[in-house]
Amino acid sequence: MLKIVLRRLLVAIPTLILVSLIVFSLQKLLPGDPLLTLAGEERDPQVLAFLREKYHLDDPFHIQYLAWLGNVLSGDFGHSLRTGVPVATLIAQKLPVTLQLALMAIVLALLIGIPAGVLSAVRKGTPTDYAANVVALSGVSIPNFWLGIILIMVVSVQWQLLPASGYVPPTENFLQSIRTMLMPSFVLATALAAYLMRHTRSAMLSVLSSDYIRTAKAKGLLPKAVVLKHALRNALMPIVTLTTLLFGELLAGAVLTEQVFTIPGFGKLIVDAVFTRDYAVVQGVVLCAAVGFIFMNLVADILYIVINPRLRHPQ
Amino acid sequence: MRTLLATLLTGTVLATSAAWAQDFRIGLQEDPDLLDPHRARTFVGRIVFTSLCDKLIDVDAKLNFVPELATEWAWSNDNRTLTFKLRQDALFHDGTPFNAEAAKANIERARTLPDSLRKSELASVESVEVVDEFTVALNLSKPDATLLAQLSDRAGMMLSPATFEAEVATNPICSGPYKFASRVQNDRIVLEKFAEHREAADYHFGRLIFQPIPDSTVRLANLRAGDIDMLERLNPSDAESVRNDDALQFMPVAGLGYQGITINTGDGEKADNPLGRDKRVRQALQLAIGRDVINQVVGQGLFEPAQQPFPKASPYNSPAFPVVQRDPEAAKALLAEAGVENVSFELSFGNNTTTQAINELIQAMAAEAGFNISLRPTEFAAMQQEMKSGNYQAAQIGWSGRVDPDGNLHQFVTCKGTLNDSKYCNPEVDRLLNDARVTPDVEKRQALYEEAQRILQDDLPIIYVYHQPWPFVLSSAVSGFTAYPDGMVRLKGVTLAR
C-alpha cells in the first residue's frame, strides 16, 4: 500500500513540472501586455520601463521560468501584480472557500445522484426510470450561470429566503455560511448529480444482470439487501472514480458559478488574474489546482483498494 | 416616572450605539487594485479612497475646487508657486498629526517612488517647501493649470509618513473619515469609522463594506434582495425596471469621461486606407452615426450624446461645437467628393453585451451611408496592446475622464502623447494644447481649447460618441446621497433607515 502511494507521488513530480511549463508558455502566448493593464489608464513610459525591469518581463523565456521555479521550490510563489498581496496568502484565502463549495456540491450530488441511479436501474423501463433520465439530462443541459441567475431572482429577490451572493466563512457564522453556499453548491450539484446518476444506473444494470445476484435472489434474500449490499457495493468502483475526478475538477474552481454568485474562490481568482495578466497568480493557482487533482487521483486509487480486496495484492 | 426616564435613556443609548454600529454596503463593478493612492490605477479604487484618504482639495458637484485638508490656496504672480494653507485639526489613522511636513513627504513620495503612477501628474513640481507648520508651497518648473485638478485626486491624497516603509498597498493609513480594517481579494474591503476624524459626526456608518460584484444583473439582484445598500454602474438595459421600482432610487449622472471611436490616422500599414488617410471619410462616418439613436436604443437615455471630449459640466465644453446630427445623404455626398463610394474597415471593441449592441448599431447606421464595417470584438487587454502598436484601423474605446480638460485631450492628440493611439500629429494642435497647459486664466484657456477643437473637429482622429454616465442605484432606505460627475461615492451626511 505504502509502496503504491510513494510510486504515485514520484510520478506526480514530472506531471507538475509539465503543467507549470505549459501554463507558463500559454500565458506568454496570450495577446496583451501585462504592463498595459498594470500601468493604469495613463501608461506613463517611465513607469512602464520600471515595471518591465522589476518583473523581469524582458528576460528570455527560460530564465523567467527557471527564476519562478526556483522561487516556488523555496516556498515563494511571488506577489500579485495587481494588488501586491503574496500569492501564497491568496491561495490560503481562497482554498478553504473552494474546498467548502466543492464539498457541499459533491455531497449534494451524491445524495441526489446515487439514489436516483439505483432507483432507475431497479425500476428499469418504468416511468420512474424515464423521469429520472429526463431530470438527469436537464441537469447536464441547463447552463450553470443561467440556473444560478434564475435561482437568485426567485429564491433571493422574490422569496428573500437565501442571500443572493457572496461568502461568509464558516468560522465566522456557520449557519450563514451554509445558507450562502446552498444555492451555488446546488447549481454545481445538478450537473454532477446527473453524471453520477447515469453512471450508477449503468453500473447497477450490469451488476444486477450477473449470476451471483440471481443466486442471491434465489436464496430468498430480501430485494433491499440484494440491491444495497450485493449489487451497489460492486457497482461502486466506477462511481468512486467519477466522484474523485469530479471533486478534483471542482478544486480548480467552478469559474462560472463563482462568477455568478461572486464567491471569492479559485475560479474567480484565476479568471480575474487572466484578464489582468497577473502571471504570478495564474501560475500559483494552476499549480495548486494541479496538486489537488493529482491528490484526488491518489485518493481514488486508495479507495479502490479499500473497496475491492482483490486489488490489495497485485501480482 | 424615574423608570420611564431610565427606559427612555437606555433606549436612546441603545439607538445611538445601534446607529454607530450600522454597516453600509456598496456593490462595485470590479475589485480595486493596490490600495496605495500613489500606485493605484483603477476607477473603483478611487471610490474606496474617497472614504479612506483625505486629499488636499476636493471638487463639488459642479467641478469647482473646494477645501479638504487645505483650507485655502493661492498662486504666485508668475504662476510658478502654489501655496496651500493646511487644516490644523487633521489626524492620520495611526494618531500622528497632519501638517506641512507630512504634505511635503507625500508629494515627494508621489513624485519619486519608482512605480508611482502619479509622476506624470506631478511632473511640473520642482520642489516642495515647508513654509511653516501648516503652510506648504509647491515650486513649479513652469506654470501648470492642471495641477489643482491633480491634487484633487490621488496625487493629493495624504498617507501617514510614519507608514511609508510598511506595506502601504495592503494596509493604507490615511486621514479620511474611515480607516482600513480588512480586505479579502475579490470579496470585500472593509473600512471602519475613524472616530477622531474632524467631521466624524457627519459620517453615520460604523463600517463600510465594498463588495465587488462584476455581473450587473447579480449586483442589482443583491440590491433588490437587501444584501447591499447601493451599487455603482447599473447596466443601461436594467434602467427601465429600476425606474419603475419603488424600493429603489435611481441616481444617474453624466460623468467626466466619454466613449468614442479612435481612428488610426498614422503612417503605418493599417492607417493606409481611405478612413485613415482622408478626413472627409471620417467626417462622413460621423454624419452616418446617430448619437441620439445610440442613446435611445442602447443607452436607455443614459448615454448623453458627446461631440467634445469635455463633459457638459465643464466650462471648457464649447457651445461652438453642437452635436452633429445624423445625415446619411450628406455622408454619401462627402464620400463621393472623396472619390470613394464604399469604404470598408475593421472596428475593434472590448467585448461585452453593451459594447456589442453599440457597435452593431454603428455598423448598421454606417452601412446606409456606404460604409462596410466588420466588427472585431476583442478582449480588452489584447485590444489595448494592438492599439498601442498601431495594429488596428478603428476602435471603439473610452476614457474615464478627468476634472481638468487637459486630462481628456492632451495625451490623446499631441504628437508625442503617451495615449495617442490614433498617431495623429499636428504641430498647431500641439502648440495650442501645450499653451493651454500653462495658462491658468480660464477665459484665455477656453479660447485655446476652442481653437484646438476647431482643428480636431475637422480632422476627427477621435469621434466622440457619448458621455460616460455613472448610474448609481440606492435602496430607498438611503437618504442624503448626491451623485457627483466624477463618479465617486461621498458619504458625508448620508443615512440609512433600517
Side-chain angles (χ1 to χ4, degrees):
Chain A
M1 178 86 155
L2 194 66
K3 226 162 115 189
I4 299 176
V5 172
L6 277 178
R7 201 165 58 206
R8 294 281 166 168
L9 285 179
L10 279 178
V11 173
I13 293 171
T15 316
L16 285 176
I17 291 182
L18 198 66
V19 166
S20 69
L21 199 58
I22 291 174
V23 175
F24 209 86
S25 18
L26 280 180
Q27 281 199 97
K28 300 288 161 189
L29 287 178
L30 272 184
D33 185 338
L35 292 181
L36 287 185
T37 53
L38 276 181
E41 269 189 332
E42 278 94 351
R43 311 196 304 225
D44 185 338
Q46 279 181 41
V47 176
L48 285 177
F50 170 80
L51 290 173
R52 203 174 288 284
E53 201 182 304
K54 181 174 174 191
Y55 295 114
H56 304 287
L57 290 168
D58 271 349
D59 288 351
F61 175 81
H62 62 279
I63 305 265
Q64 285 188 44
Y65 177 73
L66 289 177
W68 175 80
L69 196 65
N71 286 337
V72 167
L73 289 178
S74 60
D76 178 10
F77 284 84
H79 287 68
S80 159
L81 303 186
R82 189 169 68 84
T83 57
V85 179
V87 175
T89 311
L90 283 177
I91 291 176
Q93 273 179 358
K94 313 296 174 192
L95 189 62
V97 181
T98 295
L99 262 180
Q100 187 188 349
L101 180 64
L103 264 176
M104 282 181 66
I106 213 84
V107 168
L108 272 178
L110 287 173
L111 286 179
I112 305 169
I114 293 189
V118 171
L119 205 66
S120 88
V122 174
R123 308 216 174 133
K124 189 184 166 220
T126 65
T128 320
D129 182 26
Y130 294 131
N133 274 302
V134 168
V135 172
L137 199 62
S138 354
V140 184
S141 321
I142 293 174
N144 277 351
F145 59 89
W146 184 83
L147 183 62
I149 287 179
I150 294 297
L151 278 178
I152 291 179
M153 293 302 174
V154 176
V155 181
S156 300
V157 179
Q158 292 282 332
W159 300 340
Q160 312 237 336
L161 283 179
L162 293 171
S165 64
Y167 173 71
V168 182
T171 45
E172 194 181 299
N173 183 339
F174 185 75
L175 195 70
Q176 191 61 14
S177 177
I178 300 289
R179 275 164 46 89
T180 343
M181 282 291 199
L182 208 55
M183 281 199 295
S185 44
F186 176 77
V187 166
L188 282 177
T190 47
L192 304 183
Y195 290 125
L196 284 173
M197 179 262 162
R198 295 292 307 177
H199 277 80
T200 310
R201 182 176 180 274
S202 61
M204 282 296 282
L205 281 179
S206 75
V207 173
L208 282 175
S209 61
S210 58
D211 291 343
Y212 75 91
I213 293 292
R214 199 177 47 208
T215 314
K217 279 186 188 158
K219 279 199 302 189
L221 285 180
L222 287 174
K224 203 168 129 192
V226 174
V227 171
L228 293 183
K229 276 197 182 148
H230 296 257
L232 185 58
R233 180 160 181 163
N234 280 290
L236 271 182
M237 288 287 278
I239 300 169
V240 168
T241 323
L242 186 69
T243 309
T244 47
L245 288 182
L246 288 175
F247 190 76
E249 247 172 67
L250 285 177
L251 286 186
V255 175
L256 285 175
T257 310
E258 287 186 7
Q259 199 75 15
V260 168
F261 289 98
T262 40
I263 296 167
F266 268 5
K268 243 186 93 47
L269 185 67
I270 201 164
V271 168
D272 283 6
V274 168
F275 279 132
T276 51
R277 305 291 188 268
D278 201 340
Y279 289 166
V281 174
V282 177
Q283 283 286 115
V285 174
V286 169
L287 196 69
C288 193
V291 170
F293 199 81
I294 290 173
F295 177 77
M296 286 319 295
N297 268 297
L298 189 66
V299 170
D301 288 341
I302 296 171
L303 279 179
Y304 289 161
I305 299 169
V306 174
I307 296 170
N308 190 345
R310 275 170 296 185
L311 290 178
R312 275 173 215 168
H313 307 284
Q315 279 85 38
Chain B
M1 184 63 197
R2 199 182 289 166
T3 346
L4 183 67
L5 246 174
T7 325
L8 270 177
L9 262 177
T10 333
T12 329
V13 170
L14 276 178
T16 351
S17 57
W20 184 254
Q22 200 172 31
D23 284 352
F24 191 70
R25 298 153 304 172
I26 302 166
L28 303 176
Q29 182 169 296
E30 297 132 31
D31 191 34
D33 59 323
L34 301 164
L35 289 179
D36 176 342
H38 300 147
R39 293 192 287 175
R41 56 180 175 79
T42 54
F43 170 77
V44 279
R46 287 167 58 210
I47 294 185
V48 177
F49 284 134
T50 301
S51 294
L52 183 66
C53 296
D54 279 342
K55 310 169 280 193
L56 284 178
I57 53 175
D58 196 11
V59 288
D60 65 12
K62 295 208 168 79
L63 303 183
N64 300 308
F65 298 116
V66 293
E68 195 159 296
L69 283 171
T71 49
E72 52 188 287
W73 53 93
W75 287 96
S76 66
N77 285 337
D78 62 354
N79 289 320
R80 292 282 191 96
T81 306
L82 179 58
T83 310
F84 288 96
K85 289 257 177 238
L86 306 177
R87 305 191 65 96
Q88 310 199 354
D89 55 354
L91 281 180
F92 289 111
H93 299 149
D94 61 357
T96 54
F98 169 72
N99 51 32
E101 286 291 346
K104 177 184 160 122
N106 270 281
I107 294 171
E108 292 293 357
R109 182 179 188 262
R111 287 177 59 218
T112 54
L113 204 65
D115 52 347
S116 163
L117 298 184
R118 309 284 88 83
K119 267 187 192 161
S120 53
E121 300 172 10
L122 298 172
S124 63
V125 179
E126 213 166 46
S127 65
V128 189
E129 201 181 311
V130 175
V131 180
D132 61 43
E133 198 187 349
F134 294 105
T135 310
V136 68
L138 309 188
N139 298 317
L140 314 184
S141 55
K142 57 177 183 209
D144 183 358
T146 71
L147 190 59
L148 275 176
Q150 307 294 13
L151 294 170
S152 74
D153 201 336
R154 287 171 295 203
M157 287 180 187
M158 297 288 141
L159 290 157
S160 164
T163 61
F164 282 0
E165 299 305 313
E167 291 282 328
V168 174
T170 48
N171 186 22
I173 307 291
C174 289
S175 65
Y178 290 88
K179 58 184 178 188
F180 180 79
S182 64
R183 173 180 195 175
V184 177
Q185 191 166 322
N186 289 338
D187 181 39
R188 62 189 55 216
I189 293 173
V190 181
L191 306 185
E192 264 166 23
K193 181 161 174 155
F194 178 47
E196 282 99 310
H197 190 262
R198 56 191 182 280
E199 290 176 327
D202 296 328
Y203 289 88
H204 301 288
F205 306 114
R207 292 199 306 170
L208 303 184
I209 301 168
F210 296 91
Q211 289 178 260
I213 308 175
D215 189 301
S216 170
T217 315
V218 177
R219 203 155 62 244
L220 181 58
N222 269 274
L223 182 63
R224 286 205 158 114
D227 292 333
I228 56 175
D229 303 305
M230 74 173 286
L231 61 83
E232 55 113 7
R233 277 183 279 176
L234 177 82
N235 201 331
S237 57
D238 289 324
E240 196 55 38
S241 87
V242 168
R243 282 192 183 108
N244 295 328
D245 190 335
D246 289 339
L248 300 176
Q249 309 175 59
F250 188 35
M251 302 182 101
V253 59
L256 304 174
Y258 61 80
Q259 288 287 330
I261 301 171
T262 301
I263 295 157
N264 190 347
T265 62
D267 44 14
E269 185 197 330
K270 286 278 189 171
D272 191 17
N273 59 67
L275 186 73
R277 276 195 312 259
D278 194 331
K279 68 180 182 187
R280 286 169 298 186
V281 177
R282 297 194 287 275
Q283 289 165 355
L285 178 62
Q286 151 160 276
L287 280 166
I289 298 170
R291 293 165 166 96
D292 48 342
V293 180
I294 293 175
N295 181 28
Q296 282 158 25
V297 176
V298 189
Q300 302 292 321
L302 295 174
F303 290 175
E304 188 179 296
Q307 185 68 34
Q308 308 173 41
F310 313 130
K312 277 276 164 69
S314 163
Y316 298 94
N317 189 304
S318 162
F321 311 104
V323 173
V324 170
Q325 298 302 315
R326 179 165 194 256
D327 188 344
E329 291 311 312
K332 274 185 200 162
L334 262 176
L335 285 183
E337 194 189 312
V340 280
E341 268 183 14
N342 278 297
V343 181
S344 300
F345 68 93
E346 200 174 62
L347 179 59
S348 309
F349 60 96
N351 197 13
N352 66 47
T353 44
T354 308
T355 53
Q356 179 87 32
I358 291 171
N359 288 291
E360 280 173 1
L361 202 53
I362 289 176
Q363 183 186 40
M365 287 191 286
E368 271 181 57
F371 286 95
N372 178 19
I373 303 180
S374 46
L375 296 181
R376 183 148 183 267
T378 324
E379 190 253 334
F380 193 75
M383 179 168 87
Q384 267 188 320
Q385 195 189 19
E386 296 216 320
M387 287 183 71
K388 190 164 186 278
S389 51
N391 187 24
Y392 78 108
Q393 291 182 313
Q396 186 262 308
I397 190 168
W399 175 246
S400 71
R402 298 292 178 268
V403 171
D404 192 85
D406 184 79
N408 279 11
L409 190 56
H410 189 282
Q411 293 296 326
F412 296 90
V413 292
T414 47
C415 298
K416 290 193 174 150
T418 49
L419 301 171
N420 185 351
D421 291 332
S422 176
K423 310 284 183 260
Y424 176 80
C425 186
N426 181 333
E428 182 60 10
V429 170
D430 274 28
R431 187 186 66 79
L432 290 165
L433 294 181
N434 287 335
D435 281 356
R437 263 193 169 176
V438 295
T439 311
D441 182 86
V442 174
E443 262 172 51
K444 283 186 198 153
R445 228 178 153 206
Q446 277 172 332
L448 289 168
Y449 280 119
E450 189 155 325
E451 225 177 305
Q453 282 219 71
R454 209 169 292 286
I455 304 172
L456 291 168
Q457 293 283 347
D458 189 52
D459 283 346
L460 286 178
I462 301 172
I463 298 174
Y464 305 101
V465 177
Y466 65 90
H467 293 293
Q468 182 81 51
W470 303 126
F472 291 103
V473 189
L474 297 92
S475 135
S476 51
V478 181
S479 51
F481 179 80
T482 311
Y484 280 59
D486 63 0
M488 296 297 109
V489 176
R490 292 174 174 82
L491 292 173
K492 189 175 171 179
V494 176
T495 55
L496 181 64
R498 236 205 295 260

